[in-house]
Amino acid sequence: MRPLVILGSGGLGRQIIGLAQDVEQQASTYKLLGFLDDGVDEPDVWGVPVLGGDHQLAELDARYVIGVGLPTARRRLADLAASYGREPATLVHSAAWIGLHTSVGAGSLIFETAHVVAGAQVGRHVMMEVNTFAGHDSRIGDHVLLAGGASVGARAVIGDDVMLGIGCIVLGDVVVGDRAVVGAGAVVTKDVPADSVVVGIPAKETRLRRGRITA
């Protein structure tokens, strides 16, 4: 089995422990070594060793996954790991559903009860939490977080570095632009501009992420 480290030991990072253990038991692909986290001084988190800071990855001959949710942080850590020549692991829980003619990019994490339906394309370093859904022929970009219960409809396109909040729904054929945020429980019925934040039912833009108030 290949050694595996988790970059980040916060809430999302701790979620990955169970996912990694499932993959280890079911597929015997990876063996979890521990966490790398610049902000932790403790020797372990939930019994899993903290091996040092992020830059320790330069010394470890291990695959990695990213255990933080913020897409910009996910991209930064992926770039850091690539600069050290490290390859990401892709973890798919045995209780996830992966349909025919789908693809899941390197470094992505597919948790239990997540569904990637026929023809869906999931990018690199995507985190699909419990009960998330990627509809048929949908496309999800890189470094995207689908929080628990988030659903993406058929043929929808989700750009890079997007955050989809808990329980939100993106209807079919909708395009969500790069770096956008969809709030928890929102229902997105029309295209979402890049760098925007939308909330509500139906979802409406509340502000640009660079600070301009729009509604």
Side-chain angles (χ1 to χ4, degrees):
M1 289 188 288
R2 294 173 176 170
L4 175 71
V5 293
I6 302 171
L7 306 185
S9 62
L12 290 177
R14 296 193 301 270
Q15 279 183 235
I16 299 172
I17 296 172
L19 175 58
Q21 290 173 341
D22 175 80
V23 171
E24 179 182 334
Q25 292 168 6
Q26 301 297 326
S28 299
T29 308
Y30 297 106
K31 175 70 174 180
L32 180 60
L33 294 183
F35 290 106
L36 296 180
D37 194 322
D38 289 336
V40 176
D41 296 325
E42 299 299 321
D44 67 86
V45 173
W46 286 9
V48 176
V50 177
L51 305 173
D54 298 334
H55 291 277
Q56 189 68 24
L57 194 61
E59 308 298 328
L60 287 172
D61 184 14
R63 296 291 179 101
Y64 72 94
V65 290
I66 299 173
V68 298
L70 188 66
T72 53
R74 297 178 66 76
R75 180 178 289 277
R76 177 184 63 79
L77 288 170
D79 289 345
L80 177 68
S83 74
Y84 296 138
R86 300 304 176 208
E87 295 291 332
T90 303
L91 304 183
V92 178
H93 198 282
S94 60
W97 176 265
I98 308 297
L100 297 174
H101 300 289
T102 60
S103 66
V104 176
S108 289
L109 305 170
I110 312 297
F111 285 81
E112 60 267 37
T113 65
H115 284 63
V116 181
V117 180
Q121 310 296 310
V122 176
R124 294 172 56 88
H125 298 292
V126 172
M127 181 179 285
M128 292 185 64
E129 293 194 73
V130 174
N131 290 332
T132 52
F133 180 87
H136 72 78
D137 301 301
S138 59
R139 287 187 289 150
I140 297 174
D142 298 337
H143 311 104
V144 173
L145 172 65
L146 283 79
S151 294
V152 174
R155 299 174 302 278
V157 176
I158 309 298
D160 294 338
D161 304 332
V162 169
M163 291 187 69
L164 300 181
I166 293 172
C168 74
I169 299 172
V170 178
L171 296 187
D173 300 300
V174 167
V175 176
V176 177
D178 295 345
R179 300 172 300 280
V181 175
V182 177
V187 177
V188 180
T189 60
K190 61 182 181 180
D191 292 355
V192 175
D195 297 297
S196 61
V197 178
V198 296
V199 298
I201 304 175
K204 295 181 180 180
E205 188 175 346
T206 60
R207 63 179 175 86
L208 287 180
R209 297 184 72 184
R210 296 193 176 101
R212 181 170 62 86
I213 302 299
T214 59

